[in-house]
Protein backbone atom coordinates (compact mmCIF):
# COMPACT_ATOMS: atom_id res chain seq x y z
CA UNK A 1 0.00 0.00 0.00
CA UNK A 2 2.82 2.38 0.79
CA UNK A 3 4.46 1.74 -2.58
CA UNK A 4 1.29 2.61 -4.50
CA UNK A 5 0.78 6.12 -3.16
CA UNK A 6 0.88 9.01 -5.64
CA UNK A 7 3.26 11.90 -5.05
CA UNK A 8 0.49 14.25 -3.88
CA UNK A 9 -0.72 11.73 -1.27
CA UNK A 10 -3.75 10.22 -2.97
CA UNK A 11 -4.28 6.71 -4.23
CA UNK A 12 -6.15 5.68 -7.31
CA UNK A 13 -8.31 2.59 -7.69
CA UNK A 14 -7.87 2.60 -11.44
CA UNK A 15 -4.35 3.98 -11.97
CA UNK A 16 -2.52 2.88 -8.84
CA UNK A 17 1.24 2.82 -9.21
CA UNK A 18 1.28 3.93 -12.83
CA UNK A 19 3.71 6.77 -12.12
CA UNK A 20 6.28 4.19 -10.98
CA UNK A 21 5.90 1.96 -13.98
CA UNK A 22 3.80 -0.50 -12.02
CA UNK A 23 2.12 -3.22 -14.04
CA UNK A 24 -0.04 -4.64 -11.24
CA UNK A 25 -3.30 -6.14 -12.44
CA UNK A 26 -6.77 -5.64 -11.05
CA UNK A 27 -7.52 -1.98 -11.53
CA UNK A 28 -10.91 -0.67 -10.39
CA UNK A 29 -13.18 2.24 -11.22
CA UNK A 30 -12.11 5.92 -11.12
CA UNK A 31 -12.65 7.13 -7.55
CA UNK A 32 -9.60 8.69 -5.94
CA UNK A 33 -11.44 9.69 -2.75
CA UNK A 34 -12.31 6.05 -2.09
CA UNK A 35 -8.86 4.81 -3.07
CA UNK A 36 -7.13 7.29 -0.77
CA UNK A 37 -9.42 6.59 2.17
CA UNK A 38 -9.40 2.83 1.84
CA UNK A 39 -5.61 2.75 1.68
CA UNK A 40 -5.29 4.79 4.89
CA UNK A 41 -7.64 2.47 6.82
CA UNK A 42 -5.13 -0.35 7.41
CA UNK A 43 -2.40 2.00 8.63
CA UNK A 44 -4.71 3.51 11.24
CA UNK A 45 -5.88 0.03 12.21
CA UNK A 46 -2.26 -0.94 12.86
CA UNK A 47 -1.72 2.10 15.09
CA UNK A 48 0.10 4.09 12.40
CA UNK A 49 -1.01 7.73 12.36
CA UNK A 50 0.28 10.93 10.81
CA UNK A 51 2.10 11.60 14.07
CA UNK A 52 3.68 8.27 14.99
CA UNK A 53 4.80 5.07 13.32
CA UNK A 54 7.00 3.87 10.50
CA UNK A 55 4.45 5.02 7.92
CA UNK A 56 3.49 8.37 9.48
CA UNK A 57 4.56 10.28 6.34
CA UNK A 58 2.44 7.99 4.18
CA UNK A 59 -0.57 8.50 6.44
CA UNK A 60 0.03 12.25 6.71
CA UNK A 61 0.07 12.70 2.94
CA UNK A 62 -3.13 10.72 2.55
CA UNK A 63 -4.92 12.73 5.24
CA UNK A 64 -3.61 15.98 3.79
CA UNK A 65 -5.01 15.10 0.37
CA UNK A 66 -8.44 14.39 1.88
CA UNK A 67 -8.47 17.64 3.83
CA UNK A 68 -7.31 19.67 0.84
CA UNK A 69 -9.94 18.10 -1.41
CA UNK A 70 -12.99 18.51 0.80
CA UNK A 71 -15.50 21.24 0.06
CA UNK A 72 -16.67 23.96 2.44
CA UNK A 73 -19.80 21.96 3.33
CA UNK A 74 -17.72 18.89 4.22
CA UNK A 75 -18.29 17.03 0.95
CA UNK A 76 -15.41 14.55 0.51
CA UNK A 77 -16.52 12.94 -2.73
CA UNK A 78 -13.71 14.79 -4.55
CA UNK A 79 -15.24 14.51 -7.99
CA UNK A 80 -16.42 10.90 -7.67
CA UNK A 81 -18.96 10.19 -10.38
CA UNK A 82 -21.91 7.87 -10.69
CA UNK A 83 -22.92 5.69 -7.77
CA UNK A 84 -19.58 5.83 -5.97
CA UNK A 85 -19.95 9.30 -4.43
CA UNK A 86 -21.56 8.61 -1.06
CA UNK A 87 -19.54 5.41 -0.65
CA UNK A 88 -16.39 7.49 -1.05
CA UNK A 89 -17.62 10.19 1.31
CA UNK A 90 -18.51 7.72 4.04
CA UNK A 91 -15.12 6.03 3.79
CA UNK A 92 -13.26 9.35 3.83
CA UNK A 93 -15.30 10.52 6.82
CA UNK A 94 -14.37 7.37 8.73
CA UNK A 95 -10.68 8.00 8.07
CA UNK A 96 -10.76 11.62 9.22
CA UNK A 97 -12.82 10.79 12.31
CA UNK A 98 -10.66 7.83 13.23
CA UNK A 99 -7.42 9.77 12.79
CA UNK A 100 -8.84 12.55 14.95
CA UNK A 101 -10.10 10.09 17.59
CA UNK A 102 -6.69 8.41 17.75
CA UNK A 103 -4.58 11.56 17.94
CA UNK A 104 -6.77 14.44 19.08
CA UNK A 105 -5.08 16.58 16.41
CA UNK A 106 -7.10 19.81 16.31
CA UNK A 107 -6.23 20.30 12.64
CA UNK A 108 -8.46 17.32 11.87
CA UNK A 109 -11.38 18.17 14.14
CA UNK A 110 -13.13 20.70 11.90
CA UNK A 111 -12.73 18.70 8.64
CA UNK A 112 -13.94 15.57 10.45
CA UNK A 113 -16.94 17.36 11.95
CA UNK A 114 -17.85 18.90 8.59
CA UNK A 115 -17.72 15.46 6.99
CA UNK A 116 -20.18 14.20 9.61
CA UNK A 117 -22.40 17.25 9.13
CA UNK A 118 -22.54 16.43 5.41
CA UNK A 119 -23.70 12.89 6.21
CA UNK A 120 -26.38 14.23 8.55
CA UNK A 121 -27.70 16.59 5.86
CA UNK A 122 -27.56 13.88 3.19
CA UNK A 123 -29.82 11.51 5.14
CA UNK A 124 -33.21 10.76 3.59
CA UNK A 125 -36.32 11.53 5.60
CA UNK A 126 -36.88 7.79 6.02
CA UNK A 127 -33.45 7.39 7.62
CA UNK A 128 -31.29 5.99 4.84
CA UNK A 129 -28.47 7.04 2.54
CA UNK A 130 -27.80 6.06 -1.04
CA UNK A 131 -25.80 7.20 -4.06
CA UNK A 132 -26.58 10.90 -3.83
CA UNK A 133 -27.52 13.17 -0.90
CA UNK A 134 -31.21 12.91 -0.12
CA UNK A 135 -31.76 9.63 -1.99
CA UNK A 136 -33.92 6.93 -0.37
CA UNK A 137 -31.50 4.55 1.29
CA UNK A 138 -29.97 1.17 0.55
CA UNK A 139 -28.28 -0.97 3.20
CA UNK A 140 -24.88 -0.97 1.50
CA UNK A 141 -24.32 2.81 1.33
CA UNK A 142 -26.13 3.19 4.65
CA UNK A 143 -23.58 1.02 6.44
CA UNK A 144 -20.58 3.17 5.49
CA UNK A 145 -22.34 6.32 6.70
CA UNK A 146 -23.30 4.73 10.00
CA UNK A 147 -19.74 3.50 10.51
CA UNK A 148 -18.60 7.10 10.07
CA UNK A 149 -21.15 8.33 12.60
CA UNK A 150 -20.03 5.68 15.08
CA UNK A 151 -16.40 6.64 14.65
CA UNK A 152 -17.32 10.29 15.14
CA UNK A 153 -19.09 9.44 18.39
CA UNK A 154 -15.95 7.69 19.61
CA UNK A 155 -14.01 10.85 18.84
CA UNK A 156 -16.48 13.01 20.79
CA UNK A 157 -17.69 14.78 17.67
CA UNK A 158 -21.28 15.99 17.36
CA UNK A 159 -23.73 13.40 16.03
CA UNK A 160 -27.41 14.34 16.38
CA UNK A 161 -29.50 11.77 18.22
CA UNK A 162 -32.28 12.27 15.68
CA UNK A 163 -29.94 11.06 12.92
CA UNK A 164 -29.35 7.82 14.79
CA UNK A 165 -33.05 7.39 15.51
CA UNK A 166 -33.87 7.76 11.83
CA UNK A 167 -31.12 5.27 11.01
CA UNK A 168 -32.85 2.74 13.25
CA UNK A 169 -36.09 3.33 11.38
CA UNK A 170 -34.39 2.62 8.07
CA UNK A 171 -33.02 -0.66 9.42
CA UNK A 172 -36.55 -1.57 10.45
CA UNK A 173 -37.66 -1.06 6.84
CA UNK A 174 -35.05 -3.46 5.42
CA UNK A 175 -35.27 -5.95 8.28
CA UNK A 176 -36.82 -9.38 8.00
CA UNK A 177 -37.73 -12.04 10.55
CA UNK A 178 -38.00 -9.54 13.36
CA UNK A 179 -34.63 -8.03 12.47
CA UNK A 180 -32.59 -11.22 12.23
CA UNK A 181 -31.97 -10.75 8.50
CA UNK A 182 -31.62 -7.77 6.15
CA UNK A 183 -32.07 -6.89 2.51
CA UNK A 184 -30.49 -4.32 0.21
CA UNK A 185 -33.78 -2.46 -0.26
CA UNK A 186 -37.11 -2.76 1.58
CA UNK A 187 -38.63 -4.53 -1.42
CA UNK A 188 -35.84 -7.14 -1.78
CA UNK A 189 -35.24 -10.48 -0.10
CA UNK A 190 -32.57 -10.75 2.62
CA UNK A 191 -29.03 -11.78 1.69
CA UNK A 192 -26.03 -12.88 3.71
CA UNK A 193 -24.03 -9.80 2.76
CA UNK A 194 -26.75 -7.31 3.71
CA UNK A 195 -27.58 -9.25 6.88
CA UNK A 196 -23.97 -8.96 8.04
CA UNK A 197 -24.01 -5.22 7.32
CA UNK A 198 -27.44 -4.68 8.84
CA UNK A 199 -26.69 -6.54 12.05
CA UNK A 200 -23.37 -4.74 12.39
CA UNK A 201 -25.26 -1.46 12.20
CA UNK A 202 -27.66 -2.72 14.85
CA UNK A 203 -24.69 -3.35 17.13
CA UNK A 204 -23.49 0.20 16.48
CA UNK A 205 -26.93 1.43 17.52
CA UNK A 206 -26.94 -0.51 20.75
CA UNK A 207 -28.13 -4.05 20.15
CA UNK A 208 -26.55 -6.80 22.26
CA UNK A 209 -27.00 -10.55 22.38
CA UNK A 210 -28.50 -10.49 25.88
CA UNK A 211 -31.42 -8.21 24.99
CA UNK A 212 -31.79 -8.91 21.27
CA UNK A 213 -32.12 -12.63 20.49
CA UNK A 214 -32.60 -11.82 16.81
CA UNK A 215 -28.96 -10.70 16.77
CA UNK A 216 -27.85 -14.17 17.83
CA UNK A 217 -30.27 -15.75 15.36
CA UNK A 218 -28.80 -13.72 12.50
CA UNK A 219 -25.21 -14.47 13.51
CA UNK A 220 -26.00 -18.19 13.68
CA UNK A 221 -27.51 -18.05 10.18
CA UNK A 222 -24.43 -16.38 8.73
CA UNK A 223 -21.98 -18.68 10.49
CA UNK A 224 -23.89 -21.79 9.46
CA UNK A 225 -24.97 -20.91 5.93
CA UNK A 226 -22.05 -18.80 4.69
CA UNK A 227 -18.83 -19.33 6.70
CA UNK A 228 -15.48 -18.18 5.26
CA UNK A 229 -14.33 -20.53 2.52
CA UNK A 230 -11.28 -20.59 0.24
CA UNK A 231 -13.62 -21.34 -2.63
CA UNK A 232 -14.31 -18.09 -4.44
CA UNK A 233 -17.99 -17.93 -5.42
CA UNK A 234 -17.23 -16.05 -8.63
CA UNK A 235 -20.74 -16.68 -9.94
CA UNK A 236 -22.29 -15.04 -6.88
CA UNK A 237 -23.60 -11.48 -6.89
CA UNK A 238 -22.15 -11.08 -3.42
CA UNK A 239 -18.68 -9.55 -3.35
CA UNK A 240 -16.83 -12.04 -1.15
CA UNK A 241 -14.51 -9.70 0.72
CA UNK A 242 -17.25 -7.14 1.23
CA UNK A 243 -19.28 -9.76 3.06
CA UNK A 244 -16.32 -11.07 5.05
CA UNK A 245 -15.36 -7.57 6.16
CA UNK A 246 -18.72 -6.78 7.73
CA UNK A 247 -19.39 -10.29 8.99
CA UNK A 248 -16.01 -10.52 10.71
CA UNK A 249 -16.62 -7.25 12.56
CA UNK A 250 -20.06 -8.48 13.55
CA UNK A 251 -18.80 -11.83 14.79
CA UNK A 252 -16.02 -10.16 16.76
CA UNK A 253 -18.35 -7.73 18.51
CA UNK A 254 -20.88 -10.45 19.38
CA UNK A 255 -18.19 -12.90 20.46
CA UNK A 256 -18.69 -16.43 21.76
CA UNK A 257 -18.21 -19.80 20.04
CA UNK A 258 -19.45 -18.53 16.67
CA UNK A 259 -16.71 -15.88 16.62
CA UNK A 260 -14.05 -18.40 17.60
CA UNK A 261 -15.00 -20.77 14.79
CA UNK A 262 -15.38 -17.93 12.28
CA UNK A 263 -12.01 -16.47 13.22
CA UNK A 264 -10.15 -19.74 12.74
CA UNK A 265 -11.49 -20.03 9.20
CA UNK A 266 -11.29 -16.36 8.31
CA UNK A 267 -7.67 -15.77 9.21
CA UNK A 268 -6.46 -18.86 7.36
CA UNK A 269 -8.49 -18.08 4.24
CA UNK A 270 -7.11 -14.54 4.04
CA UNK A 271 -3.51 -15.35 4.88
CA UNK A 272 -3.47 -18.23 2.41
CA UNK A 273 -5.01 -16.12 -0.37
CA UNK A 274 -2.53 -13.24 -0.19
CA UNK A 275 -0.28 -12.93 -3.25
CA UNK A 276 3.30 -13.69 -2.20
CA UNK A 277 5.32 -13.27 -5.40
CA UNK A 278 5.61 -11.05 -8.45
CA UNK A 279 4.58 -7.40 -8.79
CA UNK A 280 1.30 -8.07 -6.96
CA UNK A 281 3.06 -9.48 -3.87
CA UNK A 282 1.44 -8.42 -0.63
CA UNK A 283 -1.96 -7.80 -2.18
CA UNK A 284 -5.27 -9.62 -2.48
CA UNK A 285 -7.57 -10.06 -5.46
CA UNK A 286 -10.71 -12.16 -5.88
CA UNK A 287 -12.40 -12.47 -9.24
CA UNK A 288 -16.12 -12.07 -9.72
CA UNK A 289 -18.74 -9.75 -11.21
CA UNK A 290 -18.21 -7.02 -8.60
CA UNK A 291 -14.45 -7.38 -8.17
CA UNK A 292 -13.59 -5.00 -10.99
CA UNK A 293 -15.32 -2.09 -9.24
CA UNK A 294 -12.92 -1.79 -6.31
CA UNK A 295 -10.04 -3.66 -7.83
CA UNK A 296 -6.84 -4.84 -6.17
CA UNK A 297 -6.30 -1.76 -4.01
CA UNK A 298 -9.79 -1.98 -2.53
CA UNK A 299 -9.52 -5.70 -1.84
CA UNK A 300 -6.09 -5.38 -0.26
CA UNK A 301 -7.27 -2.66 2.11
CA UNK A 302 -10.43 -4.54 3.08
CA UNK A 303 -8.53 -7.80 3.61
CA UNK A 304 -6.04 -6.11 5.93
CA UNK A 305 -8.81 -4.37 7.88
CA UNK A 306 -10.55 -7.71 8.29
CA UNK A 307 -7.36 -9.21 9.73
CA UNK A 308 -7.00 -6.20 12.03
CA UNK A 309 -10.43 -6.65 13.59
CA UNK A 310 -8.94 -7.87 16.90
CA UNK A 311 -7.54 -4.47 17.77
CA UNK A 312 -8.91 -2.04 15.21
CA UNK A 313 -12.31 -1.59 16.85
CA UNK A 314 -11.51 -2.42 20.45
CA UNK A 315 -10.56 1.14 21.55
CA UNK A 316 -13.65 2.60 19.88
CA UNK A 317 -16.07 0.26 21.59
CA UNK A 318 -14.26 0.43 24.90
CA UNK A 319 -14.71 4.20 24.83
CA UNK A 320 -18.37 3.89 23.89
CA UNK A 321 -18.99 1.57 26.85
CA UNK A 322 -17.24 3.96 29.23
CA UNK A 323 -19.66 6.66 28.12
Amino acid sequence: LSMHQESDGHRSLHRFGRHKGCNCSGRGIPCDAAGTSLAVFPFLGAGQTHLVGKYRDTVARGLRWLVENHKADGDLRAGASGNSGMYAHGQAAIVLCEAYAMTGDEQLRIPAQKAIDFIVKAQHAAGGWRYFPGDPGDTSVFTWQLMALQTARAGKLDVPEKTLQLAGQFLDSVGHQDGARYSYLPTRQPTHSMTAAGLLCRVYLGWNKEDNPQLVEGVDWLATERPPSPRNPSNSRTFTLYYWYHATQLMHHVGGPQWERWNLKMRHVLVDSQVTSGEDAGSWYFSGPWARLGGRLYMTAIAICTLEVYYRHAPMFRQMKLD
Side-chain angles (χ1 to χ4, degrees):
L1 287 176
S2 177
M3 290 169 58
H4 288 79
Q5 186 174 35
E6 302 289 341
S7 58
D8 66 354
H10 88 277
R11 289 178 176 82
S12 170
L13 295 178
H14 69 298
R15 298 176 60 190
F16 59 90
R18 176 178 287 186
H19 66 291
K20 297 179 181 179
C22 171
N23 293 312
C24 290
S25 61
R27 302 182 189 277
I29 63 173
C31 191
D32 291 348
T36 303
S37 304
L38 289 164
V40 173
F41 275 156
F43 292 102
L44 295 176
Q48 302 276 331
T49 73
H50 60 298
L51 301 180
V52 298
K54 176 182 178 181
Y55 295 102
R56 60 184 177 274
D57 291 340
T58 298
V59 176
R61 284 187 286 134
L63 293 174
R64 187 181 306 116
W65 188 89
L66 290 175
V67 171
E68 291 176 349
N69 283 273
H70 86 287
K71 295 182 179 179
D73 62 354
D75 185 352
L76 285 160
R77 290 175 291 177
S81 61
N83 297 343
S84 63
M86 284 305 294
Y87 278 111
H89 179 85
Q91 291 156 357
I94 294 171
V95 166
L96 290 181
C97 291
E98 187 164 331
Y100 172 68
M102 291 175 67
T103 65
D105 185 349
E106 278 297 309
Q107 295 186 64
L108 295 176
R109 184 179 63 82
I110 292 178
Q113 183 63 64
K114 284 186 175 181
I116 294 302
D117 294 343
F118 185 84
I119 291 175
V120 171
K121 293 177 182 177
Q123 188 178 33
H124 185 264
W129 290 272
R130 208 177 187 196
Y131 303 139
F132 300 94
D135 279 357
D138 71 56
T139 305
S140 182
V141 176
F142 173 94
T143 300
W144 288 104
Q145 313 313 310
L146 195 64
M147 290 172 69
L149 295 176
Q150 176 74 347
T151 310
R153 293 172 70 201
K156 306 296 185 183
L157 296 173
D158 181 36
V159 178
E161 187 61 32
K162 181 180 179 181
T163 301
L164 301 177
Q165 292 173 353
L166 285 174
Q169 292 177 25
F170 172 78
L171 287 173
D172 290 341
S173 73
V174 292
H176 301 260
Q177 299 189 15
D178 198 29
R181 301 182 188 181
Y182 292 84
S183 57
Y184 175 65
L185 294 172
T187 56
R188 303 274 185 90
Q189 292 299 308
T191 65
H192 295 87
S193 182
M194 291 300 98
T195 295
L199 287 175
L200 179 61
C201 290
R202 289 293 197 185
V203 171
Y204 289 158
L205 293 175
W207 274 23
N208 59 66
K209 59 185 178 183
E210 288 76 22
D211 300 327
N212 304 96
Q214 59 271 59
L215 175 61
V216 177
E217 180 183 341
V219 166
D220 287 344
W221 183 60
L222 296 177
T224 302
E225 296 290 330
R226 190 65 64 83
S229 170
R231 182 181 64 85
N232 178 30
S234 58
N235 61 344
S236 170
R237 290 179 60 84
T238 301
F239 182 15
T240 305
L241 269 177
Y242 181 84
Y243 165 60
W244 288 348
Y245 174 62
H246 292 120
T248 300
Q249 292 180 68
L250 172 65
M251 297 289 174
H252 180 256
H253 294 320
V254 174
Q258 293 285 31
W259 156 243
E260 294 174 5
R261 288 192 289 271
W262 179 279
N263 181 42
L264 285 174
K265 295 178 180 179
M266 184 79 269
R267 65 187 188 188
H268 286 302
V269 167
L270 283 180
V271 171
D272 291 346
S273 59
Q274 185 183 34
V275 180
T276 57
S277 61
E279 290 194 347
D280 297 333
S283 68
W284 279 264
Y285 190 81
F286 291 80
S287 61
W290 299 109
R292 61 180 178 80
L293 298 179
R296 187 174 298 276
L297 185 65
Y298 178 103
M299 293 188 207
T300 299
I302 293 298
I304 298 171
C305 288
T306 303
L307 289 170
E308 290 176 342
V309 71
Y310 316 102
Y311 39 89
R312 180 179 186 84
H313 296 279
M316 179 171 68
F317 275 83
R318 187 179 303 118
Q319 183 64 49
M320 296 299 295
K321 290 179 180 178
L322 286 175
D323 292 343

